[in-house]
Amino acid sequence: MNALFDTHAHLDQLTNVEAALDGARKVGVTGVVAVGTDMVSNEKTLRIAERWPGFVHPAFGLHPSHLGNYDGVCIASELKFIQDNLMAACAVGEVGLDYHKRTLAQVSKETQQKVFSEVLALAAAAQRPVLVHSRYAWADALNLVRESGVANAVFHWFTGFSSVLRGIMDAGYYISATPATEYHEEHRRVVRSVRLEQLLLETDAPVWYGRTEKYQSYPADVLRSLRAVAELRAENEDKVARITTRAARCVLGCTMSQTLEEVS
Ligand SMILES: [Zn+2]
């Protein structure tokens, strides 16, 4: 059984976290990054990580699609929670930009960019990597990340242009592959052309996947991401597992051990 790492799961949105983590362990998952999307979700994520230390690694964030509900005061207190708890986190995320028309109807590009820049500055100051959501905002997201001086970045479930992908690779950042690698053409193009050493696996659980038959995902489905990546790239599954898990531990694990040192 290969050692796997789910680098992006919304454990706070699952009804039975314990069963989901047991299921993940059974297929070889050795770690999960639990990402938060706002203060309620960040607090819940922190509690979950405290219950499974060394296995669930928390990341605290502020998802761009939530910003429409907030005024400046709310945003400031959301950012303060992230800042105050960064030492317990392996990364900052989920954060980023979302230019989908439904999100833009709620919150402007300018507001999203301002908040993203502020949260990137927090991550840079604490030397934490960022887990980036960049739907239809690929170039702007990469530019802001590059300007911020963050330690590292993962462009999660990336489906953007080849030119932006080149920029991500040249900067030494990462992209992560979801189970949509089985069928989503833009994501497949990215996963096929990325450097294997800069690729991570994830589920974005509890997202629903599937083109014809839909299923709700759990961290155990990172095995589907692995199999889809290996098949698409015509590589051995063991090799893909070894390299992606090593990369996950390098990007996120470095700060994990640092976190332990800081705590002790
Ligand atoms: Zn997500």
Side-chain angles (χ1 to χ4, degrees):
M1 193 161 57
N2 288 306
L4 299 173
F5 209 109
D6 184 356
T7 62
H8 189 119
H10 297 269
L11 296 187
D12 63 296
Q13 294 174 21
L14 300 179
T15 40
N16 190 340
V17 178
E18 189 162 11
L21 294 178
D22 283 349
R25 276 204 186 87
K26 283 197 183 104
V27 300
V29 175
T30 56
V32 178
V33 175
V35 293
T37 51
D38 61 18
M39 208 189 304
V40 172
S41 142
N42 289 333
E43 276 173 345
K44 221 169 149 185
T45 300
L46 179 58
R47 299 285 96 81
I48 293 169
E50 283 168 349
R51 203 172 147 200
W52 285 279
F55 187 65
V56 174
H57 307 279
F60 306 125
L62 180 54
H63 198 286
S65 66
H66 289 227
L67 293 174
N69 309 327
Y70 297 153
D71 60 18
V73 178
C74 287
I75 290 172
S77 62
E78 290 277 343
L79 295 179
K80 185 164 180 344
F81 178 91
I82 296 172
Q83 184 173 26
D84 289 349
N85 290 281
L86 262 185
M87 287 304 149
C90 72
V92 171
E94 181 168 357
V95 292
L97 304 173
D98 192 319
Y99 293 174
H100 187 282
K101 59 177 191 275
R102 268 202 309 269
T103 309
L104 288 179
Q106 306 279 328
V107 53
S108 69
K109 287 184 184 180
E110 291 70 27
T111 300
Q112 291 190 40
Q113 289 169 11
K114 185 171 172 292
V115 173
F116 188 36
S117 298
E118 288 180 38
V119 85
L120 285 168
L122 297 180
Q127 294 196 298
R128 289 297 186 268
V130 283
L131 308 175
V132 182
H133 172 103
S134 59
R135 189 159 60 153
Y136 303 127
W138 306 294
D140 283 358
L142 174 61
N143 288 338
L144 288 178
V145 168
R146 260 197 306 230
E147 285 164 17
S148 72
V150 289
N152 218 324
V154 180
F155 289 78
H156 119 88
W157 195 345
F158 192 75
T159 56
F161 303 125
S162 302
S163 56
V164 181
L165 182 63
R166 251 194 321 277
I168 291 172
M169 293 294 103
D170 290 349
Y173 303 144
Y174 293 76
I175 72 117
S176 55
T178 68
T181 305
E182 289 171 358
Y183 58 86
H184 188 277
E185 272 321 310
E186 281 79 29
H187 194 39
R188 283 169 72 80
R189 175 182 44 75
V190 168
V191 171
R192 203 184 287 120
S193 55
V194 76
R195 270 187 79 230
L196 186 55
E197 289 72 16
Q198 285 169 268
L199 178 67
L200 307 178
L201 303 179
E202 60 144 314
T203 60
D204 207 12
V207 160
W208 287 77
Y209 291 101
R211 187 135 275 175
T212 44
E213 250 174 73
K214 305 261 185 224
Y215 66 94
Q216 189 173 23
S217 62
Y218 293 93
D221 292 310
V222 76
L223 187 59
R224 292 183 78 129
S225 308
L226 169 72
R227 289 185 172 153
V229 168
E231 194 187 340
L232 178 63
R233 297 174 59 105
E235 305 242 33
N236 176 293
E237 269 180 34
D238 297 355
K239 180 185 168 192
V240 174
R242 185 165 29 84
I243 293 175
T244 54
T245 298
R246 193 201 295 145
R249 294 213 170 271
C250 178
V251 190
L252 303 152
C254 299
T255 47
M256 283 173 213
S257 50
Q258 195 185 334
T259 307
L260 291 176
E261 278 162 31
E262 281 157 3
V263 168
S264 61

